Amino acid sequence: MVLAGSTACGTVENLSAGQKLDQAFEELGKEHSLSFELDLDTDARTLKALDADAEPGEEIPDEAVELLSGGRLSVSVQSKKPLDESGEKDFTGMAMKFSGPDGDLLEYRIVGDYTYFRIDAEGFGELMGTPMPPADELPDSAGAFKKLLEGEWVKVSTKDLEETRGEMDGMDGMDEMEGSEGGEPSAEPMLDAKTQKKLMKALKAVVAREVEFRTTGGKDGTEHITATAPFRTLLTELIDEIRPLAKDLPLPGAALPTDKDLKEVPDKKVSARFTLSNGALTEVSVDLAKLAEDAKVKKLALVLRVGKGDKPTAPKGATEVNMDELMAGFLGGAMGGALGEE
């Protein structure tokens, strides 16, 4: 969106590209549903080349190579309002699925008052190199967790899930960061509208100054808009504009990179390609190959595919459990079965 709004400061071609991107993002914001799919466009050989300088015994595991080269994250959201007007309470459904090269590994859906989830424990464990205990070897005390390991759908109250997450955050010491005297969470830091406008104007100016745009036509109403910039220069200038406002950003615990960190970033030119079909955004591909130090790395891109989202539905036959039961099953069943004899 920064790209879309910044190009008016540049050349005629930048202006034309910016108008098209701006309109494409506006159309996405008018939708009530959206889906996207994220993956790496690469192969095992490329990922191994990235790891060529690893110390013996510290090489990237074959399972991780397989997962990264064949993994895919899919997300779908549905809202009562247009997406660009939606707040958290307006969303009526959400679905997320993480798939490996051989099928779906993890999936959850939020529908109504419940969160549904399932996992391919065997497949996930194999790819992660840490096999999960077989469900039939778990004691009865594993309860709901045993059903989960069997690949069945389970459902929990979303309210119950959020309360448990809050309790776990407190156990991790997060309550010390949440305010004083009683532990009520303090409001997340937010930039006021005037500061947001000032920051966006500064970021747009950086992009307009450093990014070059090129538009190419395709068949059947397809167009490609390519944005290219020297990576270190662009990143450094963007961070310099953000740094004075860092304390007000809603990023607890996160630190912006230092000048020393940025000097280690490659200054090679990197491109992002936006694909439009009849004016609608369908894909964004960021070419990362040039950031690799190894010249053998030729095919490495982060790809985001965009489409109209399907309405998430509740899976049939899901077993209702509560979080206490699920956690007790995990701690007493899975961990106990795996570590008892040890």
Side-chain angles (χ1 to χ4, degrees):
M1 286 183 281
V2 172
L3 288 173
S6 65
T7 50
C9 304
T11 65
V12 172
E13 183 168 11
N14 278 11
L15 178 59
S16 176
Q19 290 172 334
K20 292 174 181 177
L21 285 178
D22 198 28
Q23 185 174 358
F25 279 108
E26 283 185 4
E27 290 302 315
L28 281 182
K30 294 176 183 178
E31 296 289 345
H32 287 250
S33 63
L34 177 70
S35 68
F36 66 85
E37 186 176 277
L38 184 69
D39 64 17
L40 279 176
D41 182 15
T42 188
D43 52 36
R45 179 182 297 180
T46 296
L47 293 176
K48 287 289 187 181
L50 285 171
D51 203 36
D53 295 331
E55 296 292 331
E58 296 183 2
E59 301 91 346
I60 183 171
D62 290 341
E63 295 87 357
V65 170
E66 184 179 357
L67 184 62
L68 288 171
S69 60
R72 183 174 64 259
L73 179 68
S74 305
V75 177
S76 182
V77 295
Q78 188 97 15
S79 175
K80 294 180 291 186
K81 297 181 180 179
L83 292 173
D84 60 0
E85 300 175 11
S86 296
E88 184 177 351
K89 294 182 179 180
D90 297 315
F91 289 98
T92 57
M94 176 180 291
M96 186 280 288
K97 180 167 60 178
F98 180 67
S99 305
D102 297 321
D104 300 338
L105 296 172
L106 175 68
E107 183 174 4
Y108 82 82
R109 303 176 191 174
I110 301 175
V111 183
D113 296 328
Y114 287 93
T115 297
Y116 302 78
F117 52 98
R118 67 175 176 180
I119 184 173
D120 176 359
E122 182 178 356
F124 198 84
E126 288 177 356
L127 283 173
M128 296 301 292
T130 53
M132 300 289 281
D136 58 5
E137 294 181 8
L138 292 182
D140 293 339
S141 59
F145 190 72
K146 189 171 183 178
K147 288 186 175 294
L148 194 61
L149 290 187
E150 290 172 339
E152 295 185 23
W153 280 102
V154 299
K155 68 176 184 179
V156 298
S157 162
T158 302
K159 182 179 179 181
D160 188 14
L161 186 63
E162 291 173 348
E163 289 175 352
T164 301
R165 182 177 60 186
E167 292 171 1
M168 294 182 69
D169 284 346
M171 291 171 60
D172 288 339
M174 291 296 291
D175 51 340
E176 296 178 5
M177 302 170 59
E178 291 176 349
S180 59
E181 306 295 335
E184 281 297 320
S186 56
E188 290 189 358
M190 291 290 291
L191 297 179
D192 60 80
K194 183 178 179 180
T195 304
Q196 288 183 42
K197 186 175 181 180
K198 181 179 178 181
L199 176 60
M200 188 59 65
K201 182 178 179 180
L203 296 181
K204 288 177 180 179
V206 171
V207 173
R209 184 168 62 247
E210 299 296 343
V211 179
E212 296 179 359
F213 290 82
R214 181 168 54 89
T215 304
T216 55
K219 297 179 180 180
D220 303 322
T222 300
E223 286 185 293
H224 301 293
I225 298 174
T226 303
T228 304
F231 188 63
R232 185 203 302 158
T233 301
L234 179 63
L235 187 61
T236 300
E237 293 188 19
L238 290 173
I239 294 297
D240 284 346
E241 297 293 345
I242 297 172
R243 204 181 301 282
L245 303 171
K247 67 180 186 302
D248 298 320
L249 296 176
L251 299 171
L256 293 174
T258 64
D259 290 338
K260 183 179 178 181
D261 294 332
L262 292 169
K263 287 180 180 179
E264 298 177 2
V265 174
D267 204 26
K268 297 178 180 178
K269 288 190 174 183
V270 175
S271 296
R273 188 175 76 162
F274 301 81
T275 300
L276 308 181
S277 178
N278 295 318
L281 181 68
T282 60
E283 183 176 293
V284 182
S285 178
V286 183
D287 184 5
L288 304 175
K290 292 183 179 179
L291 296 181
E293 297 179 0
D294 195 315
K296 296 180 181 179
V297 176
K298 303 294 184 183
K299 182 183 180 183
L300 181 63
L302 186 64
V303 181
L304 178 72
R305 300 176 184 87
V306 183
K308 186 174 178 60
D310 296 324
K311 183 178 180 180
T313 57
K316 295 180 179 179
T319 301
E320 183 172 357
V321 299
N322 60 57
M323 286 303 299
D324 289 341
E325 180 185 358
L326 195 60
M327 294 301 294
F330 174 70
L331 295 173
M335 291 186 67
L339 302 178
E341 293 189 5
E342 295 293 336

